Every structure is written in C-alpha cells, then in structure tokens.
Amino acid sequence: MNALVPGPEHPDMLDGETPMACHIGGLMAYRLEIVPAGMVHVGGAVLVLAAFNARQAHQLAAADYAKATGLSPDNLDLVGIELLDRPATEQEKRAYLARHGRV
C-alpha cells in the first residue's frame, strides 16, 4: 500500500492550512503520553499511533484523547513523545486512514 493520503498541514494561500499529500508508506510509529493540563502526576493516556512527523502525532493524539474523555484538545499537555524505531504497522495505517475518513 503506497497510496497518497492527507499528511501534515502546511500554510496555504488563503491564510489557512491544507494537508500535504504524502505516501502512506512514509508513516512512522510514535508513542505519546497525553494528560489533562496541569495534571502531570495524575496520569493520562499513552497512545501509539501513526503520523508523518512529531507535530502531527501530537495533534492526532490530543484529538483522540479529547474525543475519548470529552476534554478540549487545548486543555491537554504532551508529557512525552518518542519516535519508535519502526514504520507504522498495517493496523496503525488503517487507523490513520480512518481518522481522515479514508476507510
């Protein structure tokens, strides 16, 4: 599977942001820890997901955690992020596609 999919967003000519087209084979696996703002010692969630870069991984993890908890993504803190030493698995790629309405 090496289809073009929406990737990280970049500034466009209308002062907004538009996703770049990227090959799905370029997705990497990230492990992130997200917690409610100011609650570093309370615990949050550790998520492993596919993304093209760390910024996108953070955005996706915050959106997933916010959806699961009902919190606003703006009220979440990134405690840790790690680029795993492997590409994204097929399951992680399918989850990425589902987030972007491609499944």
Side-chain angles (χ1 to χ4, degrees):
M1 179 189 319
N2 203 17
L4 287 175
V5 297
E9 296 196 351
H10 64 92
D12 61 27
M13 293 178 4
L14 304 173
D15 293 327
E17 291 196 355
T18 303
M20 294 184 275
C22 297
H23 289 281
I24 196 164
L27 284 167
M28 294 300 293
Y30 287 85
R31 179 181 294 126
L32 304 98
E33 185 176 358
I34 301 280
V35 299
M39 306 294 258
V40 174
H41 300 291
V42 173
V46 175
L47 302 140
V48 175
L49 53 78
F52 288 102
N53 61 34
R55 179 177 179 239
Q56 184 188 37
H58 178 204
Q59 291 168 337
L60 295 174
D64 284 358
Y65 188 76
K67 184 177 178 181
T69 62
L71 296 172
S72 166
D74 296 332
N75 292 331
L76 301 173
D77 288 335
L78 178 65
V79 177
I81 184 168
E82 176 187 3
L83 172 61
L84 301 179
D85 191 22
R86 64 171 175 81
T89 64
E90 290 303 313
Q91 181 180 358
E92 291 162 347
K93 289 177 185 178
R94 282 192 297 277
Y96 181 90
L97 291 172
R99 281 185 189 93
H100 291 87
R102 298 289 180 117
V103 174

